[in-house]
Amino acid sequence: MTPDQLPQRLVVGISGSSAPQYGIALLEALRELPGIESHLILSQSAHRTIELETNLVAAEVEALADVVYAPDDFAASVSSGSFITAGMAIVPCSMGTLGAIAQGLTPSLLARAAGVMLKERRRLVLVPRETPLSLIHLRNMVAVTEAGATVLPPVPAFYTAPRSVEDLVAHTVGKILDQFAISHDLFQRWTTPRGE
Ligand SMILES: Cc1cc2nc3c(=O)[nH]c(=O)nc-3n(C[C@H](O)[C@H](O)[C@H](O)COP(=O)(O)O)c2cc1C
């Protein structure tokens, strides 16, 4: 295979904030897309939120990914910029992981891999899950944005006429895929209303 024939690798991080459903839905969407390899890092805390907030266990979430890394394995390929990827999405991103990335700290493989994306100028999408936000959270979001990341809060749109929680989750997953120019039909796109 030549480099342009290799599958695109997308690193998916799931950290320990509420709503691991978003990251799980992203992995499910990636499974349906040919030519994209998902590389998953579940933080230690994500194991707990998956157990508490979904009817899955961490191993079932890991089974959705093509490649899985242990949260403390700094020898993992995604720990190095020499491992080529299309970028990384952390979905959901806890305030703890956001803060570590903003400060350039590497308490976990998740934060290290995100730092690699920034230094290599690759796409890094962070989906924060916290409300309300403190000044520290907001400043950390500014810092990661200045460093090149995209902060993409899971804010629902209503022009898509959602009918279920799954529709709301699919909208956010679609917005994440848009960031990587990965085509999908997860939600109806806005067009000029008829008659205008
Ligand atoms: C059930 C549960 C829900 C949580 N929800 C959030 C949340 O929405 N946002 C957040 O920043 N942290 C949340 N936390 C706290 C994080 O798990 C904690 O800060 C942890 O250190 C994050 O580690 P990680 O970023 O390495 O996954 C939650 C914890 C639990 C147990």
Side-chain angles (χ1 to χ4, degrees):
M1 274 194 187
T2 62
D4 59 345
Q5 289 173 318
L6 287 170
Q8 244 194 329
R9 298 168 178 142
L10 188 68
V11 185
V12 176
I14 301 183
S15 73
S17 81
S18 188
Q21 285 81 353
Y22 286 106
I24 294 167
L26 175 60
L27 290 171
E28 287 169 342
L30 292 174
R31 267 165 75 94
E32 302 302 317
L33 298 169
I36 301 175
E37 236 177 52
S38 57
H39 289 243
L40 175 66
I41 308 167
L42 281 186
S43 78
Q44 207 61 60
S45 303
H47 285 73
R48 188 88 177 104
T49 51
I50 287 167
E51 181 189 308
L52 290 171
E53 297 189 359
T54 77
N55 54 11
L56 301 175
V57 294
E60 290 170 296
V61 176
E62 289 175 342
L64 296 170
D66 293 302
V67 182
V68 177
Y69 304 97
D72 55 354
D73 181 10
F74 290 100
S77 45
V78 290
S79 197
S80 168
S82 65
F83 184 72
I84 303 298
T85 67
M88 177 176 189
I90 304 185
V91 191
C93 184
S94 75
M95 294 304 100
T97 289
L98 170 73
I101 298 167
Q103 301 304 314
L105 304 175
T106 59
S108 63
L109 178 62
L110 204 51
R112 165 66 189 167
V116 166
M117 299 300 152
L118 294 180
K119 83 181 175 75
E120 299 293 337
R121 308 295 194 268
R122 292 185 196 142
R123 196 157 280 284
L124 174 64
V125 174
L126 305 179
V127 178
R129 212 314 313 171
E130 188 54 278
T131 194
L133 297 166
S134 73
L135 184 58
I136 293 169
H137 299 148
L138 292 166
R139 285 199 170 127
N140 285 338
M141 288 185 199
V142 170
V144 296
T145 302
E146 286 174 341
T150 297
V151 176
L152 192 156
V155 177
F158 287 88
Y159 60 81
T160 56
R163 291 162 158 256
S164 64
V165 172
E166 287 73 20
D167 286 351
L168 297 176
V169 171
H171 173 255
T172 290
V173 171
K175 295 292 283 184
I176 296 165
L177 294 177
D178 284 353
Q179 288 294 313
F180 294 95
I182 296 172
S183 62
H184 65 84
D185 57 2
L186 288 168
F187 61 82
Q188 188 95 37
R189 292 184 188 280
W190 176 258
T191 53
T192 309
R194 259 192 243 151
E196 287 184 20

